[in-house]
Amino acid sequence: MKLYGVTGWKNAGKTTLMERLVTEITGRGLTVTTVKHAHHDTDVDQPGRDSHRHRQAGASQVVLASPRRWALMTELRDAPEPSLADLLPRLDPVDLVLVEGYKRAPHPKVEAWRGANGKQPLAGRNDTIRAIAADGPVETPLPVLDLNDTKAIADFILREVGA
């Protein structure tokens, strides 16, 4: 499975870039799955809903199925968070998995970077970053792509993964 990541500081535009990349790459006829890592508690279910009530009652997993989609929610119940490597085999086969977050995982990444954040790029401290998608000039030996040029960023990623 081909895997590529988008990483960067908070408010650097990672999610917007991911959204644009999915649109661009699927528009080229490729299939894409995304994985988003959150550093905080997140809940895809709402209190009061039947599936939420099942989880609250102690179910380890709850499958929610409808005519349009299905979701599998797994409660860790104090078990360790699974690694990206543990999660990938659970995905259906696709042409490309785009990962937002997991900045320390070993897959290649492009860094979303905004000068207004006032932070140095992560690229100098993370050798899995292959390019920086920036909103302005940045000092780096890596390729610098225009953060707003989705086509160029998609071209770079697809060349990197050989797609």
Side-chain angles (χ1 to χ4, degrees), residues 24-142:
E24 175 70 26
I25 294 169
T26 59
R28 297 180 188 195
L30 299 171
T31 55
V32 176
T33 290
T34 63
V35 176
K36 162 71 173 140
H37 184 255
H39 290 284
H40 49 79
D41 282 344
T42 187
D43 202 343
V44 296
D45 207 0
Q46 299 300 315
R49 297 290 197 182
D50 294 351
S51 53
H52 186 268
R53 291 171 60 191
H54 295 184
R55 288 189 305 118
Q56 292 301 106
S60 296
Q61 290 188 311
V62 176
V63 173
L64 177 60
S66 76
R68 291 200 173 275
R69 67 189 56 88
W70 69 272
L72 170 64
M73 293 174 279
T74 301
E75 286 296 314
L76 293 176
R77 306 244 183 252
D78 297 323
E81 177 183 352
S83 69
L84 178 59
D86 292 333
L87 295 173
L88 292 174
R90 298 178 184 203
L91 302 177
D92 290 340
V94 292
D95 296 315
L96 178 64
V97 176
L98 284 175
V99 178
E100 181 179 345
Y102 287 104
K103 67 179 85 168
R104 290 177 190 79
H107 61 278
K109 302 165 192 72
V110 62
E111 178 178 357
W113 185 83
R114 290 191 186 283
N117 277 354
K119 299 193 179 233
Q120 291 298 313
L122 295 168
R125 298 173 290 247
N126 184 333
D127 62 1
T128 64
I129 295 173
R130 304 284 199 263
I132 298 177
D135 65 350
V138 58
E139 287 289 321
T140 180
L142 298 175

